[in-house]
Amino acid sequence: MLLEIIFYTFASILICASLGVILFKNPVYSAVSLILAFITTGMLWLLLEAEFLAIVLVLVYVGAVMVLFLFVIMMLNIHQEEERSGFTKIAPIAIFLGLVIAAELIALYWIQSDQFSGLESISNSSLSVDNTLLLGTELFTKYILSFEIAGFILLLAIIVSISLTLRTRKNVKKQIASDQIAADPKQRVRMVDIKRGEN
Amino acid sequence: MKIIQLIKKLTLIDFIKGFIVTLKAFFRRKVTVQYPEVKTPLSPRFRGKLALMRYDNGEERCIACKLCSAVCPAQAITIESEERTDGSRRTVKFDIDAFKCIYCGFCEEACPVDSIVETNIFEYHMTENQQRIQTKEMLLATGDQYRDQTIENKKKDSRYR
Amino acid sequence: MKELLTSFLSFLDPQWINLIWSLFQIAIVTVCLILTVVFLVYFERKVIGYMHSRVGPNRVGPKGTLQSIADTIKLLLKEVIIPDKADRFFFLLSPLLLLIPALAAWAVVPFSPEFIIADINAGLLYLLALTSFGVYGVILAGWASNSKYAFLGSMRAAAQMVAYEIAMGFALVGVLMAGGSLKLGEIVAAQSGGVLSWFWIPLFPLFIVYFISGIAETNRHPFDLAEGEAEIVAGFHVEYSGIGFAIFFLAEYINMALISVLTSILFLGGWESFFAGISFLETSGFSFLTEPSLFWLLLKTLFFLFVFIWLRASFPRYRYDQLMSLGWKVLIPITILWIGVECVMYVMQIGPWSV
């Protein structure tokens, strides 16, 4: 009973938020709806006892990616009318793609319907094993090679993006606090005795 | 040199020094004066609210020479004068704008008859904008109210003038 | 307590009783937190006053103890002003977006071996997720205010929080490696014993980094560039008045208490006593000194809160580029280096943990 209430509440919030992402005129509102959608997705995953994935979804997407998204949206100050103008042109393609995805999901459910179960199984199945531990053992034993390759590709992406955007401007006048603190008066000032009459 | 700097940075020595300074202050004797109950002593030279003084016989000292008005850097003093029936020149209007006044004390120094003085009253207020204009009556009333105190203060300070 | 509730509401499903029990616990913790904030505001003003050689607030109530209650009443009675061109929905929502994660994070904080609202498996990750969530309140408040200063403050806050989040996460990685669990209760249990068996000795750099990035996360001095008074007036909450401002204030202090309590749990052994493991005390009549209890956790938390305020009284604000370079170029490399050192220590079996 309690579980059903929670599930249907979050599921309906998720649907509303997803619609909000595409229907809001203000891009900031769309971005915040997307955040809400991520959080409710995380909640639904929590119901399936996938707490590691749920929290990582919130941590990565809500905590980091969407912050930067919002940052950019607020900075750019997008003109809403210009964004809207291409809507009618794109709409048929978008609807077609949506239908394809829906068809794929339905087909998947239809083919493997014996592997899916209703809400009842959620409350009954209690995965007593630590989710994080299980994922860790799988990743670091069975899938170690693909995991390492993925990590390496990400590292490469970081290095490339930094080296593409990094440009050091020459002749920039700025103070370096640590150098200032490290300054030694003995090296800077030379005391000279000048006798009267000389020079 | 660099290595010493690095060690200094990593051990946060400078931060700890800063912390010790404030911690010492934490236990130091507190210097707060509990103002309305306790007041710091005022110098006799303290320049507070302005007042107009009288002679002992009750005649006002001011002779409307307008020296104070001329010397006032903030131009806070407005004076209008007329001749009295006994032939003496007296003010009919002596207004000080308390918002303009900067309490510099030049008027007191300029006054040839020691009429305008500064008392050591600094706790006064007004609730409406018009009240900033101190009229002649108000100034004389202030002078009467704090007469003894003001005279005593001026006597104490007279040695240094 | 729970047995009493169960017998009283025996006609209900156990699920519902659990729900009511959780709500009851949440209410207790929330009320305690708000009282803590009331105390903390007074404590802060008093400590800073003492560090300035002043006496601090001493007018309202005995020794000024009712000062923060008077302040609260003042803030509650003030008019709430919503700027004309502001985005009303987010303007009103964003204080709550800051307050809710601040309160929700306390769900996984273990106060004592018995009392913890939700002992979830991924407690540490949950904390990281929620502390990172708080930034939305700041960003949206700045954007919704439709003011340049507020917007600049929120931009600064966003960049700062993203930067320090990483250092904080890496510090926590070190803790979970040492504790061998993501459950906060088990992390404390792994530190059982005296002062020497707590994680602050083997993980000392991580301990410092965690606390520094915690200060940066809560936007406190000397990292409070989001509300730098001198250059951007009050930053993201410049347009807020009355209750809106009060909620920002409340969230800031709750976050401060959260960082303090977490530092004591993760690095200073949580509820473990300072004197645990001293056989002389355990055998004599002072065994109550060596027993773990809530008191020790509160004591440690109070110490870290004092350090928060102490920092505020001692140091000037960082410049923004210095803040960024401190986060990215100093704190993150230190954590990564120390995680490497910890791996070596783990393999060599040096340290309080066992494989």
Side-chain angles (χ1 to χ4, degrees), chain A residues 1-3 5 26 28-29 32 35 39 51-52 55-56 58-59 61-68 70-71 74-75 123 127-132 174-177, chain C residues 15-16 19 87-90 93 97 120-123 125-130 132-133 135-136 139-140 143 151 154-156 158-159 162 165 181-182 319 321-322:
Chain A
M1 178 58 189
L2 197 60
L3 216 65
I5 293 173
N26 191 334
V28 174
Y29 275 74
V32 174
I35 296 164
I39 293 168
E51 79 265 356
F52 181 78
I55 290 172
V56 164
V58 173
L59 180 60
Y61 282 94
V62 177
V65 175
M66 287 312 291
V67 175
L68 298 176
L70 260 183
F71 199 99
M74 287 174 179
M75 293 289 271
S123 50
L127 208 62
S128 55
V129 191
D130 193 344
N131 219 288
T132 321
K174 64 172 183 181
Q175 29 167 251
I176 302 162
Chain C
Q15 253 184 346
W16 291 97
L19 183 72
D87 188 313
R88 283 181 74 94
F89 178 69
F90 280 134
L93 185 73
L97 278 182
I120 60 170
N121 279 331
L125 280 174
Y126 172 84
L127 277 173
L128 258 184
L130 278 183
S132 67
F133 191 74
V135 68
Y136 286 106
I139 297 183
L140 288 174
W143 178 77
F151 188 63
S154 67
M155 288 293 111
R156 284 180 175 193
V162 169
E165 190 77 26
S181 173
L182 280 170
R319 209 172 62 201
D321 61 324
Q322 290 171 346

Side-chain angles (χ1 to χ4, degrees), chain A residues 69-93:
Chain A
F69 247 79
L70 260 183
F71 199 99
V72 171
I73 289 172
M74 287 174 179
M75 293 289 271
L76 286 181
N77 205 4
I78 301 163
H79 292 291
Q80 290 158 18
E81 298 78 31
E82 287 173 28
E83 289 298 305
R84 291 273 135 186
S85 60
F87 186 73
T88 44
K89 224 185 281 174
I90 304 166
I93 307 167

Side-chain angles (χ1 to χ4, degrees), chain A residues 18 29 37 48 53 57 64 71 74 85 94 131 143 149 159 163 183:
Chain A
S18 318
Y29 275 74
L48 296 169
L53 280 181
L57 179 83
F71 199 99
M74 287 174 179
S85 60
N131 219 288
Y143 303 107
I149 289 171
I159 293 168
S163 58

